Amino acid sequence: AALRADLGLDRPIWAQFAGRPWCFFVTGGDLTVRPFPLTFWRWYPSWPRRVGAVIAGAWQRRAIRRATELWIQPFAPVQDAADRLSVPAERRSLCYFPLVVDPDVFDQGRPTADDSWAEGLVSGADFVVFHPSRILMDRSRRQVRAGQWKGNDVLVRGFAALVESSTVNRPQLLLPVAEESRELASARELVQTLGIEDYVNFVEPPMGRTFHRDQMVALYRVADVVADEFGVGWF
């Protein structure tokens, strides 16, 4: 599945062969990362994945340059990527669709089957901080350029200060983990260095490689505070 994704088999690469006008709705890494596989070489853990990324990147660049219009946000990393791919300004639309959110799923009166799982994670905690962002602490120029720096270490250090302050008795930080990475290893090391292992929960998906929607909603529900990003992210 990972190799299939790297090859771009479920991405808009094929739209360029439609024979009719089409628009590319940009969501982030599909413009800032995918077309530049050599820049993000280290992101791919094996040679088959790297080869797949190079192939997909070439087709992605070709497709982006042939799109009738790009629907992108006025956000520096995506604009920079469009510049690098020589997409003219007249083919960039800033009419970006808002993200669709159903607020009813967060209603405490409508519990899901995953609520008991999430509540078990924070059993005994009296103040819960949920950090849903991916762990991307590398502040190198490459990462910042692509909008792939989220400043997670700012939150971890701030949470450590909260623990040390004794403002609350049993604080807990929830960090969802989809897959292991160098960045995640750095986060684990930082947590250990700060001596807050007992207060940080690296939450793994209960089933499968990723969290499904109801599981994420359950994590939002049990949190007292949702802390999102502290870097160059757009959320």
Side-chain angles (χ1 to χ4, degrees):
L3 181 57
R4 182 183 63 193
D6 289 339
L7 286 171
L9 298 184
D10 24 42
R11 297 184 179 274
I13 288 175
W14 308 112
Q16 61 187 302
F17 304 112
R20 63 190 66 188
W22 62 281
C23 297
F24 177 33
F25 178 55
V26 176
T27 58
D30 48 7
L31 176 61
T32 63
V33 175
R34 176 72 53 177
F36 311 103
L38 298 183
T39 301
F40 298 95
W41 192 250
R42 292 173 54 194
W43 280 34
Y44 305 101
S46 65
W47 280 104
R49 296 276 305 269
R50 290 174 178 177
V51 171
V54 169
I55 296 172
W59 282 106
Q60 189 85 336
R61 290 193 299 275
R62 187 179 191 274
I64 290 170
R65 290 168 176 147
R66 284 165 172 73
T68 307
E69 195 170 78
L70 269 64
W71 293 349
I72 59 179
Q73 299 185 45
F75 176 56
V78 294
Q79 296 290 345
D80 177 72
D83 289 342
R84 290 174 182 274
L85 294 173
S86 301
V87 178
E90 61 270 19
R91 288 176 46 220
R92 306 182 198 182
S93 171
L94 300 183
C95 297
Y96 194 85
F97 289 112
L99 298 178
V100 179
V101 177
D102 177 7
D104 288 343
V105 301
F106 299 98
D107 182 357
Q108 295 291 342
R110 295 179 53 191
T112 70
D114 294 286
D115 281 354
S116 58
W117 162 75
E119 290 168 359
L121 295 173
V122 299
S123 177
D126 59 0
F127 186 77
V128 179
V129 179
F130 176 43
H131 182 51
S133 297
R134 286 179 298 157
I135 303 297
L136 294 170
M137 301 193 304
D138 180 359
R139 197 177 179 176
S140 65
R141 182 175 178 272
R142 172 187 58 196
Q143 299 295 97
V144 173
R145 185 192 95 188
Q148 300 296 316
W149 168 56
K150 296 184 182 292
N152 316 84
D153 54 314
V154 173
L155 173 63
V156 174
R157 295 181 188 279
F159 182 78
L162 172 67
V163 172
E164 185 177 359
S165 73
S166 300
T167 305
V168 291
N169 293 325
R170 298 178 303 277
Q172 187 168 33
L173 175 61
L174 298 180
L175 300 175
V177 178
E179 60 181 349
E180 295 294 327
S181 66
R182 289 188 180 88
E183 296 269 25
L184 181 57
S186 296
R188 294 185 190 275
E189 183 179 348
L190 178 60
V191 166
Q192 292 177 352
T193 300
L194 295 172
I196 56 174
E197 302 99 310
D198 294 340
Y199 302 95
V200 178
N201 190 341
F202 289 92
V203 183
E204 297 182 357
M207 296 180 293
R209 292 180 60 247
T210 60
F211 296 91
H212 64 66
R213 181 173 181 260
D214 287 346
Q215 290 164 350
M216 292 299 293
V217 168
L219 293 174
Y220 276 100
R221 288 189 190 211
V222 299
D224 295 293
V225 170
V226 175
D228 200 349
E229 295 187 20
F230 302 87
V232 295
W234 43 45
F235 299 107

